[in-house]
Amino acid sequence: MSEHVYKVIEIVGSSTESTDAAIRNAIERAGKTLKHLNWFQVVETRGHIEDGKVAHFQVVLKIGFRLED
């Protein structure tokens, strides 16, 4: 069994389309600057309302990634 060490960060993704798109946007963006992304956990879901309609979906994520040896 490998003995990796992981770091956990918290980020917020957003989308005008859906919570799924907000999650995907956040992970894709994090993957541009972080290596070895392994898992994510949705911590909070919220949104922004304009003129009585949902304008943006916002999703708070915890993302775990493996630290390099």
Side-chain angles (χ1 to χ4, degrees):
M1 180 176 207
S2 55
E3 297 178 2
H4 297 297
V5 175
Y6 298 88
K7 178 159 180 72
V8 178
I9 62 168
E10 192 169 271
I11 63 174
V12 179
S14 65
S15 172
T16 57
E17 298 172 19
S18 68
T19 56
D20 285 351
I23 292 168
R24 292 178 195 283
N25 290 343
I27 292 172
E28 184 177 323
R29 177 61 183 87
K32 290 181 180 180
T33 56
L34 299 171
K35 298 179 184 178
H36 312 297
L37 299 180
N38 285 92
W39 57 268
F40 73 93
Q41 173 185 359
V42 175
V43 178
E44 181 180 347
T45 304
R46 60 181 182 238
H48 177 74
I49 300 170
E50 287 183 9
D51 299 322
K53 296 181 182 179
V54 175
H56 284 90
F57 297 91
Q58 299 170 334
V59 180
V60 180
L61 303 170
K62 286 187 178 181
I63 294 183
F65 60 96
R66 192 178 77 246
L67 298 178
E68 292 182 341
D69 294 333

